[in-house]
């Protein structure tokens, strides 16, 4: 019975299958339908494999899409979205039930199973199609890709973040075509431009084959390989990198060169190319990069450690990546160390901040410092401050760990050093002789270099500090971030060695060349008395506490010995210098020495520089007969009474500084012996040298100095000065004091006259390149007279000239074409600035076109500054200041009935202070946009507004009159709301003279 039922069911099943397969569509062959039914389980397994293959393909394409930005016509994102949906739809569980589906009676549902088989087959075909399509997204053609995302590490510091934004904005503006990003190694230049690369690509919005304004067809980031043997090899490597990104063949059969192939490939593309880490000068043309222009709208960013790169293109914008600021370095340290400095005690925090500061804002060093401290931390301490203090002190006391940390930090600095020219390397190492964080005078350093033979003496034309080679070396060292320039008081440029660079230099000079550097270490005893230091070439013991020098140090190779700023006094052994036969540079400045040992000093036959300035106890010098190679002798600010014996043998001497010494007579016949002298500094504290006295040289001997380029000197009187000027060609650089001393702080080519300015009633003839003229304590000058053309004169300063009535005549203006500043003080007879013309001729007179500043102080009889008819002579006037002139009633006098408008197109500030009789500034209309400061001018009337309410203004004792401060405006509106109206001397503005401040302090009536 059971067998009969099975047979019936089988027959019925076959009939059912046949009917089921035939019924949906008679157009599809029955055999094909049957195959879909029969292979449904096998196909499901195949579907699972295809699905897995597509998932892997999609993952690869997704990764590719995250690394590369492609043009919109490349439908990569549409494919990713589509495959994501298909992968979900092709899940095996969706077909598991349907391929085995049965009726409720338990019989198989062949129709559903067939449909499931068909769907599985269709899914497999679709998956195959997507897999094939995905292949092209894995291997995108060069024309499809805009650029590759770099996804660099997070930027450190707000400055770096803002720099990235600035560079990106520059890339997107039409005016900027080429950008240079530079800075010392390890500051994150590559990271900055990588961020720019990614930001540009992420904002890319390209449609079809055209680009929106501000975006590119190609964004290429390539790194220069600086390890290759030649520039040619570096260029070829760059060409290979660019060709790979563009997918072009550099070795075509048509004979084109690689640069031509690249130039052709880039010719019709709007590109941004970033050339990272360019350490040697490479030409864009040689690489094959078309020059960016306004027409092709292409851009190039050059990243380098120093400035002079790619000389064949004009750089439109430069960005310097600077070391971290103090705050940024501390923030990075806190992030890496996992501690807030504010949580540490004052002492511990001070130690940490000092160690962070010594990292010079160098990120890698800050990170290494934090990591080393974390390694030294003990976790079993409940006191955080104590734990950090132990770690900090532990690191300071661990030379091995410090050296290991410094070596890692030095790696990049050492690379910058290795890239220097040999002469620049030697000059850099010389800087290690100075103490840490020491400001080095530029001139002093360059003279050391010169006297040590580190500069090529044959390439010198003029002063050592003006040597082109010296400037090039300094620029190279500053550009490599090993030195930095700083400004001293007075605007002088000085040099500073970065802390890490100093440590590296000291490390390098422990072997060859070997230096002994013990500068600024507060040593009391000379460290190596009598010891044989055979290999030491240079020794710096400056800024210590040595009181005596004993013994005979045996330094046969020593060429530099720096001992300045030591209290060396009574004890200086006679044999101290005997075993130093090769010394070139000896500096004993700022010491307490009283004399130098004659026996051993005579051994210094190779001496090139002897510096003995500011030795306040030094009265005598040893014989220098054997020092025939001496180039520089500086005894300034030392009480030496006469020049040393043997000066006549110094034919090579180029600089002699004997300022503020007790030498009163310049020896006769010395000038002709110093045939190479270029710089003679002989400023005295009194009226000057006695020329022509017994044993003294006549002033005419100065004509012997054919090479003299710098002369700072005092002349006893105006007659001796005129005698020199008439007989000699004035050197290019000078400072002269006539009848008195001349401050060395004055600019080059300044002259100070103390006393008479006239000779037999005639004005003095001045050198044509005079830059500043100062006349003080004069009794013979009713009006300044300048009879020669002084094209370089910029400043005239007149002080305490008892007879001066007028400063100028209009006829003088033509001789002063570049005068910028005029200052007149304490001239009790002065009436006005300009002498009135005696005739009314209509001839066109020259103007003072460059005059910007006029300052008048304490000229009691001044009536007015000038009249309105000559205002047009001062078109560039910026400032007028008149203080403590009791009789002045009007600033600008009007020639009635011609009351012209007073027009000052450039005037920015008018200061009027302590002018008791001043009634008005000008009777006519005033036209200028200037700030007007008026203080203590009680009689002043006119259109004005007090800058504070009357009840708040100070009243002088014994008077009901207000001390008024005004803001004046042609439109009768306040121009200055910030004037401080206060009678307290401490609060009086700088524009107020000392008389008013003193009166305010004492509460007296200033009238």
């Amino acid at each position: 019975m059971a067998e009969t039922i099975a047979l019936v069911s089988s027959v019925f099943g076959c009939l059912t299958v046949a009917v089921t397969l035939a019924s949906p569509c008679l157009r599809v062959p029955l055999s094909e339908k049957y195959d879909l039914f029969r292979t449904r389980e096998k196909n499901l397994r195949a579907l699972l494999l295809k699905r897995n293959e597509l998932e892997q393909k999609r993952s690869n394409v997704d990764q590719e899409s995250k690394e590369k930005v492609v043009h919109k016509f490349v439908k990569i994102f549409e494919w990713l979205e589509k495959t994501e949906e298909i992968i979900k739809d092709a899940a095996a569980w969706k077909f598991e039930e349907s391929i085995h589906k049965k009726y409720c009676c338990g019989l198989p549902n062949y129709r559903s199973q067939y449909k499931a088989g068909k769907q599985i087959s269709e899914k497999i075909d679709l998956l195959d199609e997507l897999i094939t399509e995905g292949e092209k997204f894995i291997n995108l053609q060069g024309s499809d890709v805009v650029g590759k995302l770099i996804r660099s590490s997070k930027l450190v510091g707000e400055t770096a973040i803002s720099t990235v934004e600035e560079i990106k904005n520059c890339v997107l503006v039409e005016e900027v075509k080429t950008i240079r990003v530079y800075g010392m190694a390890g500051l994150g230049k590559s990271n900055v431009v990588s961020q720019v690369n990614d930001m540009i690509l992420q904002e890319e919005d390209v449609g079809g084959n055209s680009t929106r304004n501000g975006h590119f067809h190609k964004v290429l980031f390539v790194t220069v390989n600086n390890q290759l043997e030649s520039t040619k090899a570096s260029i070829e490597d760059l060409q290979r990198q660019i060709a790979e990104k563009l997918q072009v063949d550099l070795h075509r059969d048509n004979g084109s060169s690689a640069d031509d192939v690249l130039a052709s490939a880039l010719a019709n593309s709007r590109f941004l190319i970033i050339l990272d880490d360019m350490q040697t000068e490479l030409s864009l043309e040689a690489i094959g990069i078309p020059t960016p222009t306004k027409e092709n709208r292409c851009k190039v960013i050059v990243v380098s450690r120093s400035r002079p790169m790619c000389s064949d293109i004009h750089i439109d914008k430069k960005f310097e990546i600077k070391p971290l600021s103090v705050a940024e370095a501390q923030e990075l340290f806190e992030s890496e160390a996992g501690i807030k400095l504010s949580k540490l005690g004052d002492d511990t925090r001070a130690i940490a901040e000092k160690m962070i500061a010594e990292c010079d804002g160098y990120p890698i060093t800050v990170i290494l410092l934090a990591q080393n401290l974390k390694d030294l931390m003990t976790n079993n301490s409940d006191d955080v401050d104590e734990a950090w203090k132990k770690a900090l002190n532990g690191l300071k006391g661990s030379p091995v760990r410090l050296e290991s940390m410094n070596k890692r930090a030095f790696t990049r600095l050492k690379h910058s050093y290795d890239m220097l020219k040999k002469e620049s390397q030697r000059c850099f190492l010389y800087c290690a002789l100075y103490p840490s964080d020491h400001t080095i005078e530029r001139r002093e350093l360059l003279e050391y270099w010169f006297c040590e033979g580190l500069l090529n003496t044959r390439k010198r034309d003029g002063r050592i500090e003006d040597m082109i080679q010296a400037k090039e070396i300094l620029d190279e060292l500053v550009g490599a971030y090993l030195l930095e320039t700083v400004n001293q008081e007075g605007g002088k440029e000085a040099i500073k060695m970065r802390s890490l660079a100093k440590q590296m230099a000291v490390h390098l000079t422990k072997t060859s060349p070997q230096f002994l550097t013990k500068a600024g270490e507060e040593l009391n005893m000379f460290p190596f008395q009598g010891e044989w230091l055979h290999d030491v070439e240079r020794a710096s013991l400056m800024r210590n506490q040595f009181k005596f020098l004993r013994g005979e140090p045996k330094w046969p190779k020593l060429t530099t010995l720096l001992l300045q700023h030591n209290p060396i006094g009574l004890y200086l052994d006679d044999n101290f210098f005997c075993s130093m036969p090769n010394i070139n540079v000896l500096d004993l400045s700022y010491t307490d020495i009283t004399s130098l040992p004659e026996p051993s000093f005579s051994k210094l036959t190779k001496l090139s520089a002897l510096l003995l300035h500011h030795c306040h106890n030094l009265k005598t010098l040893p014989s220098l007969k054997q020092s025939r190679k001496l180039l520089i002798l500086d005894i300034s600010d030392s009480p030496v009474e006469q020049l040393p014996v043997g000066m006549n043998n110094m034919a090579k001497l180029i600089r002699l500084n004997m300022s503020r010494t007790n030498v009163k007579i310049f020896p006769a016949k010395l000038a002709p012996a110093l045939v190479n002298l270029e710089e003679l500094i002989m400023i005295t504290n009194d009226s000057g040298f006695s020329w022509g006295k017994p044993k003294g040289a006549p002033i005419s001997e100065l004509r012997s100095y054919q090479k003299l380029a710098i002369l700072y000197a005092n002349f006893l009187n105006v007659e001796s000065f005129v005698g020199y000027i008439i007989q000699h060609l004035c050197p290019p650089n000078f400072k002269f004091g006539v009848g008195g001393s001349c401050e060395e702080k004055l600019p080059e080519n300044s002259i100070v006259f103390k006393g008479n300015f006239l000779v037999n009633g005639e004005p003095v003839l001045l050198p044509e390149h005079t830059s500043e003229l100062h006349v003080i304590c004069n009794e013979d000058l009713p009006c300044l007279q300048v009879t020669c053309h002084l094209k370089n004169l910029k400043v005239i300063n007149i002080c305490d000239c008892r007879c001066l009535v007028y400063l100028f005549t209009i006829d003088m203006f033509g001789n002063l074409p570049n005068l910028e500043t005029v200052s007149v003080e304490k001239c009790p007879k002065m009436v006005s600035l300009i002498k009135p013309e005696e005739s009314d001729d209509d001839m066109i007179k020259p103007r003072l076109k460059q005059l910007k500043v006029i300052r008048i102080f304490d000229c009691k009889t001044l009536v007015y500054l000038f009249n309105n008819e000559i205002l047009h002579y001062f078109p560039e006037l910026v400032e007028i200041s008149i203080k403590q002139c009791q009789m002045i009633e009007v600033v600008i006098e009007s020639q009635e009935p011609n009351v012209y408008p007073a027009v000052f197109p450039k005037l920015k500030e008018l200061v009027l202070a302590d002018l008791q009789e001043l009634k008005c500034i000008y009777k006519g209309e005033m036209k200028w946009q200037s700030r007007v400061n008026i203080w203590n001018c009680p009689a002043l009337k006119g259109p004005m507004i007090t800058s504070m309410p009357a009840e708040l203004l100070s009243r002088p004792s014994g008077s009901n009159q207000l001390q008024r401060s005004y803001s004046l405006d042609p439109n009768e509106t306040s121009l200055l709301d910030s004037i401080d109206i206060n009678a307290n001397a401490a609060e009086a503005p700088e524009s107020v003279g000392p008389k008013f401040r003193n009166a305010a302090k004492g509460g007296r009536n200033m009238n």
Side-chain angles (χ1 to χ4, degrees):
M1 186 67 182
E3 293 178 354
T4 303
I5 293 173
L7 177 62
V8 172
S9 297
S10 176
V11 172
F12 180 77
C14 291
L15 291 173
T16 303
V17 170
V19 173
T20 300
L21 295 176
S23 60
C25 183
L26 297 175
R27 289 173 299 175
V28 179
L30 187 62
S31 60
E32 183 177 333
K33 294 180 179 180
Y34 182 72
D35 285 341
L36 291 175
F37 169 76
R38 182 174 54 81
T39 60
R40 66 190 186 282
E41 292 188 8
K42 178 182 176 183
N43 286 345
L44 181 60
R45 292 192 293 272
L47 176 65
L48 182 60
L49 294 175
K50 290 291 182 182
R51 181 179 182 272
N52 292 339
E53 184 181 351
L54 182 61
E55 276 188 317
Q56 182 62 43
K57 186 72 68 179
R58 187 184 186 283
S59 176
N60 294 338
V61 173
D62 186 46
Q63 183 63 34
E64 191 81 1
S65 70
K66 290 177 181 178
E67 293 178 354
K68 294 178 181 178
V69 174
V70 299
H71 290 288
K72 279 291 179 92
F73 58 79
V74 180
K75 307 296 184 179
I76 189 169
F77 291 105
E78 289 85 341
W79 183 87
L80 287 170
E81 290 177 1
K82 187 176 180 180
T83 53
E84 185 178 14
E85 292 298 323
I86 293 299
I87 289 171
K88 289 179 181 177
D89 289 343
W93 61 268
K94 289 190 175 184
F95 301 97
E96 286 286 350
E97 182 180 352
S98 56
I99 65 172
H100 298 104
K101 192 170 183 179
K102 296 182 180 180
Y103 290 109
C104 56
C105 64
L107 294 175
N109 187 339
Y110 296 111
R111 182 182 179 87
S112 294
Q113 292 177 7
Y114 156 72
K115 286 184 177 180
K118 182 180 179 182
Q119 289 174 354
I120 291 171
S121 178
E122 289 172 349
K123 290 292 183 185
I124 289 173
D125 292 341
L126 182 57
L127 290 177
D128 280 332
E129 181 183 336
L130 290 174
I131 289 169
T132 303
E133 187 180 354
E135 284 295 329
K136 68 180 182 181
F137 297 131
I138 295 294
N139 301 304
L140 288 168
Q141 296 297 311
S143 57
D144 298 335
V145 179
V146 181
K148 187 173 181 178
L149 295 168
I150 299 172
R151 305 191 186 281
S152 55
S153 57
K154 182 181 177 183
L155 293 171
V156 177
E158 291 298 323
T159 305
I161 295 171
S162 63
T163 301
V164 167
E165 191 65 32
E166 286 181 50
I167 296 173
K168 188 206 78 171
N169 292 337
C170 284
V171 168
L172 298 180
V173 298
E174 188 176 286
E175 294 77 15
V176 179
K177 299 173 285 297
T178 51
I179 298 171
R180 174 171 295 142
V181 179
Y182 64 93
M184 67 187 293
L187 291 183
K189 301 183 297 298
S190 297
N191 198 8
V192 166
V193 293
S194 296
Q195 298 274 353
V196 174
N197 176 88
D198 290 0
M199 290 176 74
I200 294 293
L201 287 174
Q202 286 164 355
E203 291 187 6
E204 189 64 33
D205 185 13
V206 184
N209 290 311
S210 63
T211 61
R212 288 192 323 173
N213 183 39
H215 294 82
F216 304 91
H217 295 114
K218 289 293 176 186
V219 178
L220 307 179
F221 189 108
V222 290
T223 302
V224 181
N225 189 340
N226 297 290
Q227 305 301 318
L228 300 176
E229 296 178 355
S230 64
T231 300
K232 182 181 178 183
S234 295
I235 290 175
E236 289 175 350
D237 183 72
L238 274 178
Q239 291 171 335
R240 179 189 56 75
Q241 291 185 61
I242 296 172
E244 285 179 359
K245 293 177 184 295
L246 297 176
Q247 291 189 356
V248 298
D249 184 8
L250 291 178
H251 306 289
R252 294 178 180 174
D253 295 333
N254 59 8
S256 298
S257 62
D259 55 300
D260 286 338
V261 172
L262 289 182
S264 177
L266 293 168
N268 297 318
S269 294
R270 184 179 173 195
F271 60 77
L272 164 65
I273 296 181
I274 300 173
L275 299 172
D276 188 30
D277 200 22
M278 185 176 286
Q279 296 180 23
T280 55
E281 193 168 294
L282 303 178
S283 164
L284 293 184
E285 183 180 0
I287 298 169
I289 300 174
T291 301
T293 64
K294 191 174 182 179
E295 289 71 30
N296 63 27
R297 299 167 72 189
C298 297
K299 307 293 175 78
V300 170
I301 300 177
V302 177
V303 185
S304 63
R305 297 186 183 184
S306 55
R307 299 178 183 87
M309 295 294 164
C310 281
S311 58
D312 67 330
I313 62 171
H314 170 73
I315 297 296
D316 298 312
K317 193 74 175 177
K318 300 175 183 176
F319 291 91
E320 181 180 7
I321 308 301
K322 297 181 178 180
L324 299 177
S325 67
V326 173
E328 289 171 338
Q330 290 181 0
E331 182 182 347
L332 177 60
F333 175 83
E334 290 176 338
S335 173
E336 294 292 328
I339 182 70
K340 289 287 185 182
L341 293 174
S342 57
K343 292 185 177 181
L344 303 177
D346 291 345
D347 293 342
T348 309
R349 185 169 62 251
I351 297 171
E353 288 175 349
K354 183 179 179 182
M355 295 184 76
I356 295 170
E358 289 175 353
C359 294
D360 279 345
Y362 205 50
I364 188 173
T365 315
V366 177
I367 293 170
L368 288 172
L369 174 64
Q371 290 175 350
N372 275 274
L373 287 171
K374 286 176 71 175
D375 291 344
L376 291 170
M377 282 288 291
T378 55
N379 297 323
N380 55 0
S381 176
D382 296 331
D383 190 335
V384 175
D385 181 67
E386 185 63 28
W388 275 97
K389 182 181 284 189
K390 286 182 179 179
L392 288 162
N393 290 328
L395 182 58
K396 289 173 66 178
S398 174
V400 174
R401 187 178 284 270
L402 273 176
E403 186 173 353
S404 173
M405 186 181 81
N406 287 341
K407 279 183 179 179
R408 292 180 65 186
F410 291 162
T411 302
R412 296 184 181 184
L413 275 180
K414 181 63 164 59
H415 181 74
S416 295
Y417 170 81
D418 290 337
M419 294 295 292
L420 298 173
K421 298 173 184 175
K422 291 299 181 184
E423 56 267 29
S424 299
Q425 289 182 352
R426 291 193 292 267
C427 290
F428 165 70
L429 294 180
Y430 200 96
C431 299
L433 296 173
Y434 286 91
S436 298
D437 204 35
H438 183 74
T439 300
I440 308 169
E441 289 188 16
R442 183 177 184 275
R443 175 176 182 149
E444 177 185 88
L445 179 63
L446 297 187
E447 285 186 347
Y448 284 164
W449 287 355
F450 182 79
C451 292
E452 269 281 34
L454 302 180
L455 301 178
N456 190 337
T457 58
R458 295 180 181 179
K459 293 183 179 180
R460 188 170 63 90
D461 183 17
R463 294 187 293 186
I464 295 171
E465 58 187 304
D466 294 333
M467 287 179 64
I468 294 175
Q469 185 194 16
K471 290 181 178 180
E472 289 175 348
I473 289 175
L474 275 179
D475 286 345
E476 187 178 4
L477 294 176
V478 172
Y481 294 87
L482 298 172
L483 300 182
E484 59 182 322
T485 56
V486 294
N487 288 324
Q488 288 181 305
E489 186 178 351
K492 281 189 176 183
E493 187 182 271
I495 307 298
K496 208 169 186 180
M497 200 173 195
R498 297 180 183 274
S499 178
L500 281 176
K502 158 75 175 178
Q503 294 176 43
M504 182 183 71
V506 170
H507 179 77
L508 292 174
T509 54
K510 287 181 178 179
T511 53
S512 180
Q514 186 174 333
F515 290 8
L516 171 63
T517 305
K518 296 289 183 181
E521 296 188 8
E522 300 294 321
L523 301 177
N524 294 311
M525 300 290 292
F526 194 73
F528 300 104
Q529 296 177 35
E531 293 190 22
W532 184 265
L533 298 172
H534 187 274
D535 293 323
V536 173
E537 296 181 28
R538 297 182 181 112
S540 176
L541 301 163
M542 67 172 79
R543 296 183 179 274
N544 282 295
Q545 296 299 318
F546 304 137
K547 294 183 179 180
F548 49 83
L549 299 177
R550 289 179 172 170
E552 184 182 336
K554 300 189 184 299
W555 290 341
K557 292 185 180 180
L558 193 70
T559 59
T560 290
L561 179 58
L562 306 181
L563 289 163
Q564 62 263 39
H565 290 281
N566 276 293
I568 303 166
L570 299 177
Y571 304 106
L572 184 57
D573 280 3
D574 288 346
N575 296 326
F576 186 80
F577 298 107
C578 282
S579 297
M580 308 177 195
N582 290 301
I583 284 187
N584 292 323
V585 176
L586 176 59
D587 196 336
L588 283 159
S589 305
Y590 293 97
T591 60
D592 295 333
I593 56 173
T594 57
S595 62
L596 291 169
E598 185 90 34
S600 62
F601 220 78
S602 62
K603 306 286 187 181
L604 305 182
T605 58
K606 295 184 179 180
L607 200 61
S608 296
L610 178 58
L611 305 171
L612 300 168
H613 56 86
H614 294 89
C615 296
H616 298 301
N617 297 321
L618 182 63
K619 295 184 178 180
T620 61
L621 295 173
S623 170
L624 296 179
K625 284 183 179 180
Q626 304 302 319
S627 302
R628 297 174 181 270
K629 295 184 179 181
L630 200 64
L631 299 172
I632 296 172
L633 176 60
D634 190 342
I635 57 172
S636 59
D637 295 287
S638 299
V640 175
E641 296 177 350
Q642 63 181 12
L643 292 175
V645 174
M647 289 288 292
N648 290 332
N649 296 332
M650 297 182 188
K652 293 187 177 183
L653 194 71
I654 60 174
R655 182 164 83 86
L656 173 60
N657 190 343
M658 47 193 292
S659 291
R660 294 171 298 279
T661 63
N662 289 336
V663 178
K664 299 299 181 185
I665 296 175
F666 195 79
K669 298 183 180 180
L670 176 58
L674 305 179
V675 293
N676 287 299
L677 195 67
E678 299 172 5
E679 186 173 341
L680 178 58
I681 313 295
M682 46 196 309
I683 298 292
T684 64
N685 288 324
D686 50 24
S687 56
F689 280 82
S690 299
W691 297 94
K693 294 291 180 78
K695 297 184 179 181
I699 199 168
S700 59
E701 278 198 13
L702 289 178
R703 76 174 66 181
S704 303
Y705 297 126
Q706 298 297 318
K707 296 184 178 181
L708 196 65
I710 302 172
L711 176 61
Y712 298 170
N714 291 12
F715 294 88
L716 191 61
N717 49 46
V718 69
E719 286 79 14
S720 62
F721 173 73
V722 170
Y724 169 74
I725 293 296
I726 291 174
Q727 295 183 44
H728 307 90
L729 288 174
C730 194
N733 300 281
F734 61 81
K735 292 179 188 177
F736 294 145
V738 182
S741 185
C742 173
E743 288 286 339
E744 283 194 50
K745 292 182 180 180
L746 288 173
E748 292 285 354
N749 299 355
S750 297
I751 304 179
V752 178
F753 286 89
K754 186 175 183 181
N756 293 345
F757 186 75
L758 304 178
V759 179
N760 299 324
E762 296 295 323
V764 173
L765 182 67
L766 300 175
E768 65 176 9
H769 46 297
T770 302
S771 65
E772 291 196 7
L773 174 62
H774 301 261
V775 182
I776 60 177
C777 302
N778 178 271
E779 301 284 349
D780 68 350
L781 194 64
C783 181
L784 183 65
Q785 300 178 51
V786 178
T787 58
C788 52
H789 187 71
L790 302 177
K791 63 180 180 181
N792 295 326
L793 188 66
K794 294 186 176 182
V795 175
I796 293 178
N797 179 33
I798 309 295
C799 181
D800 198 17
C801 293
R802 300 292 176 180
C803 298
L804 189 77
V805 180
Y806 305 102
L807 182 61
F808 297 129
T809 63
I810 294 179
D811 293 336
M812 284 172 47
F813 290 178
N815 289 331
L816 308 170
N818 294 303
L819 184 66
E820 295 180 358
T821 301
V822 168
S823 176
V824 184
E825 299 182 23
K826 299 181 180 180
C827 296
K829 293 185 178 181
M830 185 174 178
V831 175
S832 74
L833 193 69
I834 313 297
K835 184 177 181 179
E837 293 187 273
E838 296 178 359
S839 62
D840 295 329
D841 59 65
D842 295 329
M843 292 180 61
I844 298 176
K845 301 293 179 65
R847 298 188 294 172
L848 294 179
K849 294 182 180 180
Q850 302 301 322
L851 185 63
K852 294 178 175 61
V853 178
I854 297 175
R855 297 189 181 109
I856 311 293
F857 176 75
D858 195 16
C859 296
K860 299 185 181 350
T861 60
L862 185 73
V863 178
Y864 62 92
L865 188 61
F866 39 65
N867 66 54
N868 64 338
E869 294 185 345
I870 63 171
L871 294 182
H872 62 283
Y873 286 100
F874 318 116
E876 298 294 321
L877 203 57
V878 173
E879 176 190 338
I880 298 175
S881 174
I882 307 174
K883 305 176 187 178
Q884 293 191 22
C885 299
Q886 285 85 343
M887 293 183 63
I888 187 170
E889 296 186 0
V890 60
V891 177
I892 304 170
E893 186 186 47
S894 57
Q895 299 292 326
E896 297 184 7
N898 300 320
V899 183
Y900 308 112
V903 180
F904 291 102
K906 302 289 183 70
L907 193 68
K908 293 183 179 179
E909 186 164 17
L910 173 64
V911 178
L912 305 172
D914 293 322
L915 309 178
Q916 300 297 316
E917 301 299 325
L918 183 68
K919 293 181 173 59
C920 71
I921 295 175
Y922 180 59
K923 293 182 179 179
E925 183 183 1
M926 294 175 286
K927 293 184 178 180
W928 61 68
Q929 295 297 322
S930 68
R931 185 177 65 176
V932 182
N933 294 341
I934 303 175
W935 189 277
N936 191 30
C937 300
L940 184 62
K941 299 177 181 178
M944 62 190 70
I945 298 175
T946 55
S947 60
M948 290 185 69
E951 61 267 25
L952 298 180
L953 298 175
S954 304
R955 293 175 171 80
S957 59
S959 171
N960 291 323
Q961 184 181 18
L962 293 176
Q963 291 295 330
R964 308 178 73 191
S965 173
Y966 302 112
S967 285
L968 185 62
D969 181 73
N971 300 319
E972 299 190 12
T973 57
S974 176
L975 287 174
L976 183 64
D977 296 327
S978 60
I979 295 181
D980 187 4
I981 314 302
N982 197 305
N984 292 329
E987 299 181 11
E990 288 297 323
S991 61
V992 180
K995 173 184 174 183
F996 180 71
R997 284 197 294 271
N998 292 336
K1001 187 176 181 180
R1004 301 192 305 272
N1005 185 348
M1006 289 168 289
N1007 296 323

